[in-house]
Amino acid sequence: MNDYAGQHEVISENMTSLITGELTRYVQELKQERKSHFHDGRKAQQHLETCWKQLEASKRRFERDCKEADRAQQYFEKMDADINVTKADVEKARQQAQLRHQMAEESKAEYSSTLQKFNSEQHDHYYTHIPNIFQKIQEMEERRIVRIGESMKTFAEVDRQVIPIIGKCLDEITKAAESIDHKNDSQLVIEAFKSGFEPPGDVEFEDFTQPMKRTVSESSLSNSRGDGKSEPKFGGKSKGKLWPFIKKNKGAGPEDFSNLPPEQRRKKLQQKVDELNKDIQKEMDQRDALTKMKDVYIKNPQMGDAASVDHRLAELGQNIEKLRLEVQKFEGWLAEVEGRLPMRTEQARRQSGLYEAQNTSAVNSCAQDRESPDGSYTEEQSQETEMKVPATDFDDEFDDEEPLPTIGTCKALYTFEGQNEGTISVAEGEMLYVIEEDKGDGWTRIRRNEDEEGYVPTSYVEVYLDKNAKDS
């Protein structure tokens, strides 16, 4: 499975470097080119509008001058027909009419020239400039389409390169699945978790008609104190004392804390590394102190024998070396978590689970030695212990911790079936309490009630943190 996931990571890396990065740069280039073409189109449109405005202005001026020339001509004809007007006034009107006619002719020539220029510009605009711009945009789009096709071919090649390896991985997964021996696995679980308790014998008859011969059976499940007043109880909470349902004693978890979510595992590993470093420093301080003492003994033999501390120095050296090896081991696991390296194989997980089960079995067998004077098994706590389903290893990690305070609420966006250790099942639309934010590993810790809490994928819930929690 790790190899299978690794091949998909290879596909992702190659797609990022060969396709995504190149297409991102190419898209930016296309945006700039498209922006330039649109700018040219707007510029051509504005130029045509300017030519149209010039044509309109020339046309209005020509129209105005023609009207002025007509009015001047009519005024001249009126003055010429009037016998009461002097000859000088008639000449003046005639000159004014000629001037207006001349201005009208000039406006006509200018309007004609402007009209020809506009028609030429309009023809160039619709038959040359705009088609050229659209042609460039079309060519740009065609290049883009070709580039997309090339990227798709690149993706196909990237995927095709790992198909043989993925095929082998799938074959190995199938082979591993077919090699599962459910009978053997069940037997391993039975051997790891069997209690070793013997079924109790028959309860003897106690004859209360003979007070002096009252006895208590050693095989009784009741915890008599020898006062003759206790009676066996098999109702109510005392049923929890029946041997198959004795409360499970906590066993040590895997040494590498692999049963915890990534962030919690990282914290535990870091804490372990810090503790080991402190122990190393403590051992080194003792070694330094003994070394100084040995130097004093060598310089002043009357104060003590220098050889007497050699054995202790050798022990300290061995202890320091062992602790350093432990630190290297835990630092390796810590690097695995922080670097998000592929997790261990299923075989290693099973070995870790077997190790945990052996420890649990060992603790249970130790608990077997705790018997009352009359031979019945007793727990160290209350005799009224209720029957409880043994807690999961993940829950055991947090049993001794104080309950975390609520820092907000959340709403389940999707249904999540919490089948792994430490997770909790939620239904779509369900409202729950948030007790720990996502630490970067993609999991949020939530609580339904006092007895139900666990982790859900952060993407499956919508979190509403309290204001105080946000400020902190």
Side-chain angles (χ1 to χ4, degrees):
M1 291 294 288
N2 288 333
D3 294 340
Y4 181 75
Q7 294 307 311
H8 283 83
E9 290 180 1
V10 170
I11 294 175
S12 175
E13 292 172 358
N14 289 338
M15 286 184 63
T16 300
S17 60
L18 301 178
I19 300 177
T20 306
E22 294 296 328
L23 284 183
T24 300
R25 289 190 292 270
Y26 188 64
V27 165
Q28 294 299 325
E29 295 174 1
L30 290 182
K31 284 183 178 179
Q32 293 297 327
E33 185 178 350
R34 182 174 180 270
K35 184 177 180 181
S36 174
H37 294 328
F38 275 62
H39 176 73
D40 293 341
R42 285 192 296 270
K43 187 176 179 181
Q45 188 67 30
Q46 291 173 357
H47 177 69
L48 184 64
E49 291 175 355
T50 301
C51 292
W52 172 257
K53 291 178 181 178
Q54 293 176 354
L55 176 62
E56 286 293 313
S58 177
K59 179 181 177 182
R60 286 193 299 269
R61 187 162 51 251
F62 173 53
E63 181 182 7
R64 185 182 66 250
D65 290 343
C66 286
K67 291 180 180 179
E68 291 290 336
D70 288 341
R71 282 197 294 270
Q73 183 64 30
Q74 293 174 4
Y75 180 73
F76 166 68
E77 292 176 354
K78 180 181 178 182
M79 294 291 288
D80 188 38
D82 191 350
I83 60 175
N84 296 322
V85 178
T86 61
K87 188 176 181 180
D89 292 336
V90 173
E91 184 62 25
K92 183 178 179 181
R94 186 181 64 79
Q95 291 178 358
Q96 186 67 24
Q98 290 178 349
L99 179 61
R100 290 297 179 182
H101 278 290
Q102 183 179 358
M103 291 176 62
E105 289 295 329
E106 292 175 355
S107 297
K108 180 180 179 181
E110 182 184 356
Y111 171 61
S112 177
S113 174
T114 305
L115 180 61
Q116 291 178 358
K117 179 181 177 182
F118 172 77
N119 288 332
S120 176
E121 292 289 345
Q122 182 175 254
H123 184 276
D124 292 341
H125 177 80
Y126 286 106
Y127 289 93
T128 303
H129 300 314
I130 295 300
N132 287 340
I133 292 173
F134 281 131
Q135 182 65 31
K136 291 178 181 178
I137 295 176
Q138 179 179 340
E139 292 174 355
M140 179 190 71
E141 285 296 307
E142 290 173 353
R143 293 199 310 273
R144 182 185 65 82
I145 293 171
V146 170
R147 188 62 175 269
I148 291 177
E150 293 175 352
S151 300
M152 294 174 68
K153 289 174 60 179
T154 303
F155 165 72
E157 291 298 324
V158 168
D159 206 271
R160 185 177 290 111
Q161 290 175 1
V162 300
I163 283 179
I165 303 176
I166 290 178
K168 292 181 181 178
C169 293
L170 294 175
D171 292 340
E172 291 297 323
I173 293 173
T174 303
K175 183 178 178 181
E178 292 174 349
S179 66
I180 292 176
D181 186 354
H182 57 282
K183 294 293 185 182
N184 184 52
D185 289 349
S186 297
Q187 191 61 36
L188 289 175
V189 173
I190 292 171
E191 292 295 327
F193 289 96
K194 64 182 180 181
S195 65
F197 292 145
E198 292 291 338
D202 295 336
V203 178
E204 295 182 1
F205 176 77
E206 298 182 15
D207 189 357
F208 289 98
T209 61
Q210 300 178 7
M212 301 305 296
K213 296 182 179 181
R214 191 176 303 166
T215 60
V216 179
S217 171
E218 292 184 357
S219 63
S220 172
L221 290 176
S222 62
N223 187 17
S224 173
R225 296 304 178 185
D227 56 3
K229 297 181 181 180
S230 176
E231 296 182 0
K233 298 180 181 179
F234 295 97
K237 295 182 178 179
S238 62
K239 288 186 177 180
K241 302 300 293 180
L242 295 178
W243 62 271
F245 306 108
I246 292 173
K247 183 179 179 182
K248 176 184 175 183
N249 291 282
K250 295 181 182 179
E255 187 180 12
D256 60 353
F257 305 108
S258 60
N259 58 327
L260 298 179
E263 180 62 22
Q264 296 296 328
R265 183 187 181 201
R266 185 191 65 77
K267 290 181 180 179
K268 289 286 187 180
L269 290 173
Q270 185 63 55
Q271 180 181 354
K272 187 68 176 178
V273 170
D274 295 340
E275 291 175 358
L276 290 172
N277 285 329
K278 289 181 181 178
D279 292 341
I280 291 175
Q281 187 61 43
K282 189 183 299 183
E283 295 288 325
M284 292 178 67
D285 292 342
Q286 293 184 21
R287 185 181 64 179
D288 293 342
L290 286 176
T291 302
K292 292 180 181 178
M293 183 183 298
K294 181 179 180 180
D295 293 339
V296 172
Y297 288 169
I298 293 174
K299 295 179 180 178
N300 302 289
Q302 69 275 11
M303 297 183 66
D305 185 8
S308 61
V309 297
D310 289 340
H311 179 68
R312 179 57 180 162
L313 284 173
E315 288 183 356
L316 290 174
Q318 293 176 359
N319 292 341
I320 291 173
E321 185 62 27
K322 290 179 181 179
L323 289 172
R324 284 175 175 169
L325 292 175
E326 286 290 310
V327 169
Q328 292 179 0
K329 179 171 65 175
F330 280 94
E331 285 179 344
W333 288 330
L334 182 61
E336 174 186 336
V337 176
E338 293 179 342
R340 299 187 179 276
L341 298 177
M343 300 301 291
R344 302 169 301 160
T345 61
E346 184 65 24
Q347 182 181 1
R349 291 181 182 273
R350 291 189 178 184
Q351 291 174 355
S352 176
L354 183 59
Y355 169 80
E356 175 189 359
Q358 290 172 350
N359 287 345
T360 304
S361 178
V363 175
N364 285 339
S365 63
C366 292
Q368 211 176 338
D369 296 334
R370 297 199 305 272
E371 295 182 352
S372 63
D374 61 358
S376 61
Y377 178 80
T378 59
E379 294 194 34
E380 294 180 353
Q381 298 180 355
S382 172
Q383 297 180 14
E384 299 294 329
T385 306
E386 298 181 4
M387 288 188 296
K388 293 185 179 179
V389 178
T392 63
D393 295 333
F394 178 81
D395 293 332
D396 288 346
E397 293 295 332
F398 296 92
D399 281 350
D400 295 333
E401 298 181 4
E402 290 294 328
L404 293 175
T406 300
I407 61 174
T409 59
C410 68
K411 179 181 180 182
L413 301 177
Y414 316 99
T415 299
F416 173 68
E417 299 293 339
Q419 298 178 351
N420 296 328
E421 293 182 350
T423 60
I424 183 173
S425 299
V426 296
E428 181 179 353
E430 185 177 0
M431 296 298 297
L432 306 110
Y433 298 101
V434 178
I435 57 178
E436 186 174 327
E437 288 187 82
D438 187 350
K439 301 297 184 181
D441 54 8
W443 293 87
T444 298
R445 192 175 177 189
I446 63 172
R447 175 184 296 148
R448 179 178 287 112
N449 51 49
E450 293 182 358
D451 298 326
E452 291 185 90
E453 65 179 49
Y455 287 84
V456 295
T458 304
S459 58
Y460 276 60
V461 294
E462 184 175 2
V463 178
Y464 312 97
L465 293 180
D466 295 338
K467 184 177 181 182
N468 294 336
K470 291 181 180 179
D471 294 340
S472 62

